[in-house]
Amino acid sequence: MSNYSYMALGEELDKDAYVVCKYRVTTDLPIEKAAEAIAAEQSTGTWTGISTLNDEVFTRYAAKVTAIDGDVVTIAYPEEDFSIRVGAIPQILSVISGNLYGLGSLKGVRLEDVVFPKGILKQYQGPKFGDKGLREILHRPEKPLVGTIVKPKIGLSPKDTAGYIYEAGSGGLTNGKDDETLVDQAFCPIEERTKAVAEVLDRLREEGHHMVHAINISTNGQDIRELAEDVQSWGATQLMIDVLTCGYGAIQAVAEDPRIKIPVHVHRTMHAAMTKDPLNGISMRVISKLVRMCGGDALHIGTLGAGKMGGDSTEGRLNQDACQSDDVPFKSVMPVCSGGMYPGIVPAVVKAAGTNCQIQAGGGVAGHPEGVRAGAMAMCQAVDAAFEGIDIAEYAQTHHELKLALDRWGTK
Ligand code: CAP
Ligand code: MG
């Protein structure tokens, strides 16, 4: 083992000189040894002492174990360990979230949180629009945004996709989106879909409904920027990128492109491969902070304990905080609550998330007994009731579409 110690418990550090991470560690080793193993592997060490590591290098670039609280260890990485002109999120993740998961001496490691110094944050632009920008576009200053995901997630033609959005917008929804698996399949080519949806959004606007629809442009790195520009030129009002299948660089490339003048909705599909296990992987809070830095305007954060996907309200609030806290120099990100949503669950979501969020339902709109427009109306009625502080069952007595939805799916 190295003859250098990475332990710096209680050492006062200049917070603007370090990237500080919290890891939950499961190990049979003494926790101090496990913490040192992470700090060493992710900075200047390896499995054995090396003749090429000298005092100057160690002092300047070694990570420090600054706190141990039960199974949670805090490790501070010197800012100089991070790349300046190029490297960006990929290099950051290689340091704070790289080899450490594979260390044989550790049974489990989960990166729970990360705090960046000003010097790193200033390398990122953050969202162009954010939650406030989306609200301005949608003329919706206070209420939760209410959205839908076109269902079935694949198989509809461009014309039928547009028809779904026209019905959803006519029912009062503010947001539509492609589903995460729809991009440019033969049954729904992206250019035709974008143009067909743009046409109905224009019609909706003329009829007094302000609505955006996120076109999924998830693709490889060399094509995504050009595809974003093309989709915008075809009339798209919002873009969608699946951040974990495309990479954070895809968000940054599109969001920082000065030619892109429309917001970016960020889907997190595949996140559960790394966020679901409480003892292994990466928290959605960390992912949320990275997406905000890279410029996502809206991000799925879970349903705070409601809905079909896992994740509890505590985790959801940590994700929402990562999207909207004022401790970083970026616009706030619109937190999106989605996954198994339906009108009867809206009160629970608004209670947990508040009203500065986007609540969206796919099955919970398309599955309404009277169709998409009625499903949209029911979601809007549920949001109005929650916003006004009116009991949803009472509200349903005078709102037919909501009553049918409660009869079908009940309340949470
Ligand atoms: C929701 C959804 C979203 C999930 C993803 C789906 O559809 O379109 O992708 O919200 O989960 O495909 O499941 P439903 P999360 O409304 O029909 O469930 O937002 O947690 O990443
Ligand atoms: Mg989906």
Side-chain angles (χ1 to χ4, degrees), residues 149 151 153 177-181 240 267 269 300 308-309 338 360:
I149 309 100
K151 299 288 180 180
K153 58 176 69 179
K177 65 179 272 300
D178 291 346
D179 223 328
E180 73 283 350
T181 57
M240 176 167 125
H267 198 289
T269 193
H300 290 229
K308 73 182 180 186
M309 300 295 195
S338 175
Q360 60 184 40

Side-chain angles (χ1 to χ4, degrees), residues 21-26 34-43 73 75 77 92-112 279-282:
C21 292
K22 285 191 185 301
Y23 300 94
R24 186 175 305 283
V25 180
T26 308
E36 267 206 300
I38 295 172
E41 178 60 34
Q42 300 309 123
S43 63
V73 304
I75 295 178
Y77 299 94
I92 288 174
L93 286 174
S94 297
V95 174
I96 69 173
S97 189
N99 285 0
L100 60 96
Y101 301 106
L103 289 173
S105 56
L106 307 182
K107 284 182 174 175
V109 192
R110 189 177 200 252
L111 174 57
E112 295 286 2
L279 299 179
N280 274 291
I282 303 171

Side-chain angles (χ1 to χ4, degrees), residues 148-168:
T148 189
I149 309 100
V150 177
K151 299 288 180 180
K153 58 176 69 179
I154 56 169
L156 295 187
S157 68
K159 181 170 176 284
D160 290 346
T161 301
Y164 184 114
I165 292 302
Y166 182 72
E167 287 301 297

